[in-house]
Amino acid sequence: MFKKNAFTLLRFTAIACAATAVLASAAQAQTTLRLSTYVNEVDIRYEGFKKFAELASAKTAGRVKVEIFSSSTLHGWSEGVDAMLGGVSDISWVSADKRLPCYRVTSLYPMAVDMKKQIELDAAYAALIAPEATKAGLVPLINSNYSYDQEWWFKNPNTDLAKLDGKLVRSIGPMVSMMIETWGGKPVFIAPKEVFQSAERGVVDGINMGVATYSAWKLWGVMPHMVQSNLFYGNIQYMISKRKFDALSPADQKALQAAATESEVWLKPRYEAWVDASMADAVKQGGTVTKITAEKRKALLDSVVGKWTGEVDTGCGPEMAGKVRALFKQHSL
């Protein structure tokens, strides 16, 4: 009888230990990261986020799950930092936030970008602003290398950017607003989801936006005439809450970062092909694409770069500002 009871006790002990191990393993596997993006599910970048989620799961053996929330469903355009610090999201795009003063004045920067080493440029830029992000409780994760297509649309074709003549033009941040004002226009901030209604109702005369976002939100139908100028370096980064990142094991941290980089490389050619196809389709539907000359581009950039120098020096500090400008110079046309 004693042997039977002892055997039963040992069996239940073994079962309990196994159950505890299973529960511990399950708990470890339940790290869920909520990724917030303003892009909608039509946008090719959504496929990039899906790829990132797949890679993150595969590289962590299922321990990390990424849930994607599109179309600003978790928070608005300017609320990324608050959303991550407050636990509303774990990974979000970060716009021009004053808590990241250097990033605020350099994540969009007036320059013509040489695309040959785009991935390397984005990674180097992320490394430069990482210490500032850390102080704000964030970690750069995905380099949004899809902002180089930031361009301009107007109601009428062949608009001269240098002569905006009081036009109300949609802006996404302080540097773009400075450009618009320099060229005689008036900047108006409008979140991506609200641009269609604003253009349709005549709230704005022109729009500054990424080509992919513009195409995904079907905006060619309300403002069909594009000026293709290539005036920006853009890296509106997706960062992760440092608290959430630090809770991962070192191995899973490395795996998540590797998944991010691999998804960028995977998406780049698909993104470029999708943007080109979207522009070609818009032209077939009656839109126009006017490319400016290299001389015109230089004149436009020369008119604003000097004005932005002081903002960069103040936001970054002289030493960091010098490093950022040196990096950009290496990758400019």
Side-chain angles (χ1 to χ4, degrees):
M1 183 70 177
F2 174 77
K3 290 182 178 180
K4 182 178 179 181
N5 288 341
F7 174 77
T8 301
L9 180 60
L10 287 171
R11 185 178 67 176
F12 279 117
T13 300
I15 292 172
C17 290
T20 300
V22 169
L23 289 172
S25 176
Q28 186 181 15
Q30 294 305 310
T31 298
T32 299
L33 301 174
R34 290 162 294 175
L35 188 157
S36 175
T37 179
Y38 60 90
V39 307
N40 63 24
E41 295 186 20
V42 174
D43 196 313
I44 188 64
R45 289 170 293 181
Y46 185 79
E47 297 302 316
F49 292 125
K50 287 172 61 179
K51 184 67 175 178
F52 166 62
E54 293 169 8
L55 289 168
S57 178
K59 290 178 181 295
T60 62
R63 291 185 299 274
V64 175
K65 176 183 178 183
V66 177
E67 291 184 349
I68 305 166
F69 295 83
S70 62
S71 304
S72 305
T73 50
L74 286 185
H75 60 79
W77 172 260
S78 302
E79 299 163 2
V81 175
D82 289 325
M84 286 184 283
L85 296 181
V88 174
S89 65
D90 303 307
I91 302 169
S92 294
W93 78 92
V94 177
S95 58
D97 195 289
K98 290 184 178 180
R99 285 164 287 192
L100 299 163
C102 188
Y103 172 83
R104 180 176 182 267
V105 295
T106 57
S107 57
L108 270 174
Y109 189 85
M111 66 178 281
V113 183
D114 184 344
M115 302 286 279
K116 291 187 183 69
K117 294 184 178 180
Q118 176 187 335
I119 299 292
E120 292 87 345
L121 165 59
D122 288 336
Y125 175 73
L128 283 177
I129 58 93
E132 177 178 88
T134 298
K135 290 180 181 179
L138 306 171
V139 177
L141 184 60
I142 303 176
N143 298 317
S144 180
N145 51 17
Y146 319 121
S147 297
Y148 296 96
D149 66 348
Q150 195 81 15
E151 293 296 357
W152 310 83
W153 286 262
F154 298 93
K155 293 179 181 178
N156 301 313
N158 302 314
T159 298
D160 186 349
L161 289 179
K163 299 177 181 178
L164 292 177
D165 296 330
K167 288 182 175 64
L168 301 173
V169 183
R170 186 252 181 179
S171 171
I172 68 165
M175 196 272 292
V176 178
S177 293
M178 182 272 292
M179 284 181 154
I180 294 168
E181 291 172 340
T182 298
W183 302 330
K186 298 179 180 179
V188 181
F189 173 79
I190 304 170
K193 288 178 66 175
E194 301 167 0
V195 174
F196 185 95
Q197 292 87 347
S198 298
E200 188 177 43
R201 297 170 185 172
V203 175
V204 292
D205 305 305
I207 296 171
N208 173 262
M209 204 172 195
V211 181
T213 310
Y214 199 86
S215 299
W217 289 104
K218 309 297 182 186
L219 292 167
W220 288 91
V222 293
M223 201 163 282
H225 301 294
M226 173 182 164
V227 177
Q228 189 173 16
S229 56
N230 185 19
L231 294 174
F232 299 94
Y233 169 73
N235 194 335
I236 308 303
Q237 292 193 30
Y238 284 76
M239 300 189 189
I240 181 172
S241 159
K242 187 175 184 299
R243 173 182 54 80
K244 199 78 173 186
F245 185 75
D246 288 346
L248 299 174
S249 69
D252 285 349
Q253 290 177 355
K254 290 181 180 179
L256 191 68
Q257 290 171 321
T261 300
E262 192 171 327
S263 68
E264 293 168 18
V265 175
W266 178 89
L267 180 58
K268 185 177 185 293
R270 292 166 175 82
Y271 172 83
E272 291 170 351
W274 188 85
V275 167
D276 289 345
S278 297
M279 290 173 60
D281 183 64
V283 171
K284 288 180 182 178
Q285 302 300 320
T288 63
V289 177
T290 302
K291 294 185 178 183
I292 67 172
T293 65
E295 292 76 15
K296 181 71 171 181
R297 179 184 300 113
K298 183 179 185 303
L300 288 168
L301 288 172
D302 286 348
S303 71
V304 296
V305 169
K307 291 184 178 181
W308 201 240
T309 297
E311 296 288 339
V312 175
D313 288 341
T314 299
C316 300
E319 182 179 356
M320 179 60 71
K323 291 180 180 179
V324 172
R325 279 193 282 261
L327 174 65
F328 289 166
K329 186 177 180 179
Q330 292 173 20
H331 295 270
S332 64
L333 288 173

